[in-house]
Amino acid sequence: MAEIVETETKETGKKGFNIQEKIRKTGDDVDSLAKKDRDEASKLAKSINGEIKSLSGEIKSIDVKDDVKSITVRVEKLVDATGDNAKKLASEIKADIKKLMDKI
């Protein structure tokens, strides 16, 4: 089982699992990425890849480096994809992100 650092949110004062929320948001961003033009997609891809890469630093007890590398490479490919290809690739990336979340 992954070692997850609990964080206390300022809004509620309750402890929550920041990692799962990050992964969930990243999946939503991947959907958005498939709909952006090249310049906007490039900026969003950098943000997504930054979030995904930060996970490997936050998760101490399991090795997710290969998963992270696979996802980030495909996010870069998504920047150049269009139409149905973009939708298909986004779907595949989201499935990989879900697998990563399940692993955590």
Side-chain angles (χ1 to χ4, degrees), residues 65-82:
K65 290 178 183 166
D66 290 338
D67 299 317
V68 167
K69 184 176 180 179
S70 172
I71 291 169
T72 57
V73 166
R74 291 168 40 160
V75 166
E76 289 299 323
K77 289 180 181 178
L78 183 55
V79 171
D80 295 324
T82 58

Side-chain angles (χ1 to χ4, degrees), residues 45-57:
K46 286 180 184 177
S47 173
I48 291 169
N49 282 342
E51 287 294 323
I52 294 290
K53 288 176 182 176
S54 75
L55 291 175
S56 63

Side-chain angles (χ1 to χ4, degrees), residues 16-65:
F17 296 106
N18 192 25
I19 293 174
Q20 280 95 352
E21 186 57 37
K22 272 185 165 179
I23 293 171
R24 199 170 291 114
K25 182 189 177 306
T26 302
D28 293 342
D29 287 347
V30 168
D31 278 338
S32 239
L33 179 60
K35 300 172 187 170
K36 300 285 183 183
D37 68 24
R38 177 120 172 97
D39 290 336
E40 292 174 329
S42 181
K43 291 175 187 174
L44 185 54
K46 286 180 184 177
S47 173
I48 291 169
N49 282 342
E51 287 294 323
I52 294 290
K53 288 176 182 176
S54 75
L55 291 175
S56 63
E58 291 182 42
I59 302 167
K60 306 291 186 218
S61 64
I62 59 173
D63 184 16
V64 295
K65 290 178 183 166

